[in-house]
Amino acid sequence: YQRRVHGGDNGAGERYKGVCDKDGCDFNSFRFGDEGFYGPGKTVDTTKPFTVVTQFKTVDGTDTGALSEIVRYYVQNGKVIANSNSKLAGVNGNTITDGFCKASKSLFGDINDFGNKGGLKTMGEAMSRGMVLVLSIWDDTDVNMLWLDSNFPTDKSPSIPGVKRGPCPVTSGVPSEVRAQYPGAYVTFGNIKVGTIGSTFQQPNPQPQPTPKPTPQPTPQPTPKPTPQPTPQPTQCPPCPSCPTPQPTQAPQPTPKPTQAPQPTQAPQPSGAKLVVDPSSNPYWLAVKLDPSSATLTSLVAKYGGTQVALTNSGWAWTSGNHFESAVVLVGTLSNGQTITANWNPTNSLKEGTDSAVSQSVLRQAPGFIVGALTTLFAVGLVVLVVKKPAVGNDNYAELRL
């Protein structure tokens, strides 16, 4: 009674009424269509020693996460062999997941008792409570192990997906015959390891997927040319003494047009932009306006003391890290290629100031407005060049705005 309540009883038709999942969810390469993967002389050669690696992966990759996937590798002769992929339509992959189990149970017509009892998540919870690894060699007195490596159920056609599970005949596996014919059969298990993912063997790196080749396009066929028709000939009159010889009609000649004299290439018109200097605008600033303000500078160069420095436009500012302590000539190039200049001698307009008053050697383009007492500068297209000159006891500076 206890066995029926907790485990179910096949004989009483209670296989799926117990708390245990007798069917489980399996991955048999032969059953899933790859008959050349596992067996004597196959990809995994069962006549030679090999290592089986089983990985239990969680949904979040942590030790406490819910079990979501079981991955299988084989290692033989130093080569890591990934599990085979399913070749059955409607069942994809080479690992055990809840989705794989549901798809395979549906295709095979099996009851998904594994899913009904909670699937991988419930299995993972049971493992977290502790399990004992049991390895054995055994036989089957119920169905002679046919569910493992033969056709099962035996009353169904092997052409039905899931019935063909291995190459053994349906008459094989009878326990009394196996025990009588192979009394010395044995298996050796060794080098058993338990550890974190990838710690028990050399985990292979994911292989890059080949780039798909483009679908070839049909070669366009040339459009057939129309067959030229013969030019109709003028009708000839019958030969007679008084019949004049017909003369061909002359095609009208086109009236020649007078040759046009070449037009002179128009020289590019200057934009009219200029730099207007206003030395009296502010005791600390020498203002130079770009007129009109719609003109656009594409480059700016400062020349002083025999040195030429190209200023950099960083998107919102023209900048230079140089000290200008002699006369400065600013040379600007407009977007239409026109060059404009402005001259300024900072020694004639230096005022007292401190380091905190201005930045050193910076040419700034107004980004729309400057916060503080200054008004909006965007409309006049101003830029600022700060020039500093060291002096005893303080810093002298003056600024040039464009």
Side-chain angles (χ1 to χ4, degrees):
Y1 174 79
Q2 183 179 13
R3 182 165 65 91
R4 289 188 179 184
V5 171
H6 294 287
D9 189 341
N10 287 340
E14 298 177 353
R15 180 176 179 85
Y16 301 110
K17 294 182 179 180
V19 297
C20 297
D21 171 28
K22 291 183 173 61
D23 293 352
C25 178
D26 65 287
F27 194 111
N28 179 339
S29 297
F30 196 102
R31 191 183 189 195
F32 284 94
D34 194 340
E35 299 182 6
F37 182 75
Y38 184 93
K42 298 183 180 181
T43 301
V44 179
D45 188 353
T46 54
T47 65
K48 301 176 183 179
F50 60 92
T51 299
V52 180
V53 180
T54 306
Q55 298 178 340
F56 300 88
K57 295 189 175 182
T58 60
V59 66
D60 59 359
T62 67
D63 292 341
T64 58
L67 180 64
S68 61
E69 184 180 26
I70 301 177
V71 182
R72 167 62 53 81
Y73 291 100
Y74 300 89
V75 183
Q76 189 170 56
N77 297 327
K79 179 182 178 181
V80 178
I81 305 171
N83 191 32
S84 62
N85 281 282
S86 169
K87 294 185 177 182
L88 301 182
V91 183
N92 301 317
N94 66 343
T95 66
I96 291 179
T97 64
D98 285 335
F100 174 88
C101 296
K102 181 178 180 180
S104 61
K105 297 283 187 182
S106 176
L107 178 64
F108 298 157
D110 295 337
I111 295 175
N112 188 11
D113 198 42
F114 179 77
N116 295 338
K117 287 183 166 60
L120 288 175
K121 181 177 182 295
T122 300
M123 178 180 174
E125 293 169 352
M127 294 178 68
S128 67
R129 294 191 293 269
M131 288 188 175
V132 177
L133 177 65
V134 178
L135 305 171
S136 65
I137 181 171
W138 56 291
D139 54 30
D140 175 11
T141 58
D142 281 351
V143 294
N144 301 336
M145 257 346 170
L146 300 181
W147 57 269
L148 179 66
D149 50 17
S150 184
N151 298 334
F152 188 81
T154 57
D155 59 349
K156 291 187 177 181
S157 170
S159 62
I160 298 176
V163 173
K164 194 175 182 182
R165 307 168 185 233
C168 298
V170 295
T171 57
S172 64
V174 179
S176 59
E177 297 177 359
V178 172
R179 296 172 190 177
Q181 296 178 17
Y182 308 100
Y186 72 95
V187 62
T188 301
F189 301 102
N191 298 324
I192 299 173
K193 299 179 182 180
V194 178
T196 56
I197 298 294
S199 65
T200 62
F201 80 120
Q202 186 64 41
Q203 178 97 7
N205 294 323
Q207 297 297 318
Q209 298 299 317
T211 302
K213 296 182 179 180
T215 303
Q217 300 296 323
T219 304
Q221 300 297 321
T223 303
K225 296 181 178 180
T227 303
Q229 300 298 320
T231 303
Q233 300 296 321
T235 304
Q236 302 289 332
C237 63
C240 62
S242 61
C243 187
T245 303
Q247 299 297 321
T249 302
Q250 296 292 326
Q253 299 297 319
T255 302
K257 296 181 179 180
T259 304
Q260 296 292 328
Q263 299 297 319
T265 303
Q266 297 293 328
Q269 298 299 317
S271 67
K274 58 184 177 179
L275 299 176
V276 181
V277 180
D278 181 7
S280 62
S281 61
N282 189 291
Y284 292 98
W285 306 78
L286 179 63
V288 183
K289 296 182 180 180
L290 185 60
D291 183 25
S293 60
S294 59
T296 303
L297 283 173
T298 60
S299 68
L300 200 58
V301 175
K303 298 181 179 180
Y304 67 101
T307 302
Q308 178 170 302
V309 178
L311 304 176
T312 302
N313 185 359
S314 61
W316 68 274
W318 294 87
T319 60
S320 169
N322 295 72
H323 290 258
F324 301 100
E325 300 177 3
S326 60
V328 177
V329 179
L330 289 175
V331 181
T333 302
L334 300 180
S335 58
N336 66 351
Q338 182 183 359
T339 300
I340 56 176
T341 61
N343 300 318
W344 178 50
N345 189 346
T347 59
N348 296 335
S349 56
L350 293 179
K351 301 295 181 181
E352 296 296 327
T354 62
D355 287 337
S356 62
V358 293
S359 301
Q360 180 171 315
S361 302
V362 178
L363 187 63
R364 294 183 181 144
Q365 183 173 353
F369 63 90
I370 295 179
V371 178
L374 298 179
T375 58
T376 300
L377 302 180
F378 186 81
V380 294
L382 300 185
V383 291
V384 179
L385 173 65
V386 179
V387 182
K388 299 186 66 177
K389 179 177 180 180
V392 178
N394 60 22
D395 286 335
N396 293 329
Y397 68 88
E399 298 187 357
L400 173 64
R401 289 188 177 184
L402 281 177

